[in-house]
């Protein structure tokens, strides 16, 4: 892919995940700079991936072709204020922040932007990310392509047509690794309660989750319900477990959780 210079403003969990994935995919480490106020987050990035680090956001942004905004939403306005001095006319801006829309980002940076909003997730760290992307139709094709390739370097992508759909991506992918971790934690805990040691309980759940996810991927023409039914023998053990989930309205719980994620993103759009 095109090797543009990239400045990650903010060097937390998500920036690290994308940087790790980019380096693993062969992106030139010298073309990547990450910023943070202290060396706590920066030193490991420099040591692990050989990228440049800087505590000066303005300098990093001025020197980059692509500026990735990767700070917490509540900090975004404060972080953007000094960046208003940057000439963004020839730069691509990528924001990964939840709950801050394009119009608000343009106001925060006081510029007309070549902007892509991206909603990634942390499995980008191991090249298994899922990112949703949104841009105005006026975005140049080469910027569109660069953003696609950047996120494809760390996983799968899908472009959404309306900016509001980014909130749906948050609910279904950005936040969703945590749902699976929670589910796996619950299985691990119950396996331990049934007598397995912690390590064995973890192996049982992690290998099963991996196997299930890979079966989904390996059978694109088989719907998820069919895969479930193939495990569920009539009158057997799985049927009892699934009946218990249904009795406690698992589907409704998931729907409510995803709706709550969207509602929070909408609320953040008003707050920050
Ligand atoms: N963690 C996740 O799974 C996902 C996070 N996001 C978005 O990514 C963004 C970052 O989230 P995380 O990485 O989880 O947060 P984080 O708290 O791990 O990282 C934020 C980083 O910003 C740095 N920072 C704080 N003040 C700064 C400043 N003035 N200048 C430069 N850097 C500064 C901090 O040192 C920290 O390393 C958020 O906007 C979030 O909505 C999006 C998708 C998934
Ligand atoms: O929890 C959050 O707000 C961020 C956005 C998606 C995942 N983490």
């Amino acid at each position: 892919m095109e090797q543009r210079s990239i400045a990650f403003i903010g060097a937390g969990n998500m920036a690290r995940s994308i940087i790790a994935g980019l380096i693993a995919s062969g992106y030139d480490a010298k073309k990547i700079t990450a910023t943070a106020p202290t060396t706590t987050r920066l030193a490991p990035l420099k040591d692990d991936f050989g990228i440049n680090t800087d505590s000066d956001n303005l300098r990093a942004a001025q020197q980059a072709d692509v500026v990735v905004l990767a700070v917490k939403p509540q900090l975004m306005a404060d972080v953007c204020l000094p960046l208003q001095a940057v000439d963004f006319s020839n730069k691509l801006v990528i924001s990964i922040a939840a709950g801050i829309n394009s119009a608000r980002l343009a106001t925060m940076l006081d510029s007309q932007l070549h902007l892509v909003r991206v909603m990634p997730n942390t499995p980008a760290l191991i090249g298994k990310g899922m990112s949703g992307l949104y841009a105005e139709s006026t975005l140049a094709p080469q910027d569109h392509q660069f953003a696609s390739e950047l996120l494809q370097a760390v996983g799968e992508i899908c472009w959404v047509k309306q900016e509001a759909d980014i909130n749906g991506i948050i609910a279904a992918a950005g936040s969703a690794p945590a749902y699976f971790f929670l589910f796996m934690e619950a299985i691990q805990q119950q396996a331990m309660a049934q007598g397995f040691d912690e390590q064995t309980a973890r192996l049982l759940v992690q290998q099963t989750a991996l196997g299930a996810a890979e079966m989904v991927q390996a059978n694109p023409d088989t719907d998820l319900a069919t895969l479930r039914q193939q495990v569920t023998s009539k009158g057997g053990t799985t049927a009892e477990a699934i009946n218990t989930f249904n009795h406690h309205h698992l589907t409704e719980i998931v729907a409510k959780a995803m709706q709550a994620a969207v509602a929070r993103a909408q609320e953040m759009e008003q707050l920050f």
Side-chain angles (χ1 to χ4, degrees), residues 30-126:
K30 289 187 205 69
K31 293 272 187 185
I32 301 176
T33 300
T35 73
T38 67
T39 55
T40 326
R41 291 295 199 135
L42 295 181
L45 281 173
K46 200 183 188 76
D47 294 347
D48 295 347
F49 307 117
I51 64 161
N52 310 302
T53 57
D54 199 335
S55 58
D56 186 336
N57 293 340
L58 182 58
R59 180 170 51 204
Q62 271 166 336
Q63 289 172 356
D65 302 320
V66 180
V67 177
V68 181
L69 299 171
V71 295
K72 289 279 183 207
Q74 48 271 45
L75 287 182
M76 190 65 86
D78 286 349
V79 167
C80 283
L81 193 61
L83 299 184
Q84 290 183 358
V86 175
D87 176 2
F88 283 103
S89 54
N90 288 314
K91 296 186 195 295
L92 172 62
V93 177
I94 295 178
S95 169
I96 65 166
I100 302 185
N101 63 31
S102 302
R104 183 79 186 110
L105 286 163
T107 304
M108 286 179 181
L109 290 169
D110 193 27
S111 301
Q112 280 209 323
L113 299 173
H114 309 287
L115 176 71
V116 179
R117 274 192 70 195
V118 174
M119 190 45 51
N121 63 15
T122 54
L125 183 66
I126 53 166

